[in-house]
Amino acid sequence: MTQERDYILGTHDEEIVRLGIQHRVWRPRALDAWRRAGFTVGQTILDIGCGPGYASIDLAGIVGDGGRVLSLDRSRRFLDTLETAATGYGLGNIRTVETDLEDGRLPETAADGAWCRWVFAFLKQPRRLLEAIAPSLRHGGVLVIHEYFDYSTWRTTPRCPEIEEFVAEVMTNWRSDGGEPDIGLQLPLWLPECGFEIVEMRPIIDIVPPGNFIWQWPKSFVRIGPQRLVSLGLMTAERAHQIGEAFERVEKTPHALMITPAVMELIARRR
């Protein structure tokens, strides 16, 4: 595969940086979920939709030299970024696999676990991927998923019409591209039908002030997201500028708060 296949949010340098911020914000919760799922030394773990591989690096540290991480993504640029980082860290237990997850084909391996964050939401046929994950895990293997179940909870106080309209526009464009931002509502129904037993299920939503590190996660998206929509012809430059200015005003408002998009955490075991 020689031609880069782009994402709606892009695979450019700024997006790689944004994904790094996103992972650092979410890293404590990912590590906690992996611990409860039993990810440990010597295992084989699938990082499905790995992007530039920030989670893969962490997973490689968990499984150690005797384990391995299979990092799957359709973006050659993201995988190149991961391979460079793995070399820099001296990690020889990461293998990258360039594959389009829409195809529903995963490596034939009896993996001990799999990790997937904000991937199903972008697929046109998300159930096909879930059906492919089960046979890639050994019986008793564990799948950990983080997906939105109510993206529209993302708002601020004081309320900001520009931000709320931006969130609505993101969701509209998301769906027009074939994805479903609230895919978390479907996964608990599909998992048992695809050979999994749900072990844990919990909501994740935060209400934080600008000084909290979690604030940086949606902020980084507001910084890049509108400009990406402009480049795709889905938003005017003027509107993007207005959204950025409105966000800055909220951030400077005393006692401002951010309510984050609602995420569902699922831990499921293959029967």
Side-chain angles (χ1 to χ4, degrees):
M1 300 180 186
T2 58
Q3 184 177 359
E4 174 65 10
R5 290 175 293 184
D6 211 357
Y7 287 95
I8 185 68
L9 297 179
T11 58
H12 50 287
D13 289 346
E14 285 187 329
E15 175 63 3
I16 290 174
V17 171
R18 186 194 72 80
L19 289 171
I21 294 171
Q22 177 174 272
H23 179 69
R24 291 195 298 276
V25 168
W26 279 85
R27 186 173 184 267
R29 281 177 167 141
L31 291 172
D32 180 57
W34 300 342
R35 176 187 58 79
R36 285 182 281 113
F39 291 3
T40 190
V41 172
Q43 291 185 335
T44 295
I45 304 293
L46 303 176
D47 185 359
I48 301 171
C50 65
Y54 299 108
S56 292
I57 298 295
D58 286 335
L59 288 167
I62 290 172
V63 303
D65 292 340
R68 63 173 180 158
V69 177
L70 300 183
S71 303
L72 286 63
D73 206 276
R74 75 177 189 179
S75 167
R76 185 66 254 168
R77 189 162 195 270
F78 279 165
L79 295 178
D80 288 344
T81 300
L82 170 55
E83 289 171 1
T84 298
T87 300
Y89 284 114
L91 296 172
N93 58 350
I94 296 176
R95 179 166 74 89
T96 61
V97 180
E98 186 178 354
T99 184
D100 191 342
L101 298 176
E102 288 281 11
D103 295 339
R105 292 195 298 269
L106 299 183
E108 294 183 6
T109 178
D112 301 286
W115 159 245
C116 193
R117 176 171 59 194
W118 300 318
V119 173
F120 290 101
F122 290 97
L123 299 179
K124 295 179 176 62
Q125 299 187 72
R127 180 171 172 135
R128 177 185 289 181
L129 174 60
L130 192 60
E131 291 170 345
I133 292 174
S136 293
L137 294 175
R138 64 171 174 79
H139 291 286
V142 182
L143 169 62
V144 180
I145 301 173
H146 281 173
E147 289 284 355
Y148 301 112
F149 70 92
D150 190 351
Y151 194 80
S152 67
T153 59
W154 180 15
R155 58 183 63 198
T156 63
T157 176
R159 294 186 67 171
C160 177
E162 289 87 352
I163 295 299
E164 292 181 20
E165 290 170 15
F166 171 58
V167 171
E169 189 157 357
V170 167
M171 294 178 72
T172 296
N173 289 322
W174 199 329
R175 287 173 172 139
S176 67
D177 195 54
E180 173 47 59
D182 295 340
I183 193 64
L185 296 174
Q186 295 296 320
L187 294 173
L189 304 176
W190 293 343
L191 280 162
E193 297 172 354
C194 294
F196 288 93
E197 172 193 3
I198 297 175
V199 178
E200 290 188 37
M201 183 166 45
R202 62 179 65 183
I204 303 175
I205 186 168
D206 292 294
I207 304 175
V208 298
N212 190 296
F213 184 43
I214 292 173
W215 183 282
Q216 299 301 315
W217 166 46
K219 178 179 179 177
S220 65
F221 183 65
V222 172
R223 184 183 297 121
I224 291 178
Q227 295 304 320
R228 178 62 177 170
L229 293 179
V230 171
S231 68
L232 294 172
L234 300 173
M235 179 178 288
T236 67
E238 180 182 4
R239 187 58 177 158
H241 181 70
Q242 290 170 347
I243 291 168
E245 284 191 329
F247 188 87
E248 290 178 3
R249 286 195 300 271
V250 170
E251 193 170 33
K252 294 175 182 176
T253 301
H255 313 300
L257 294 170
M258 175 83 70
I259 300 94
T260 61
V263 171
M264 182 179 294
E265 178 182 278
L266 291 154
I267 300 178
R269 181 178 294 111
R270 187 192 172 193
R271 293 195 294 265

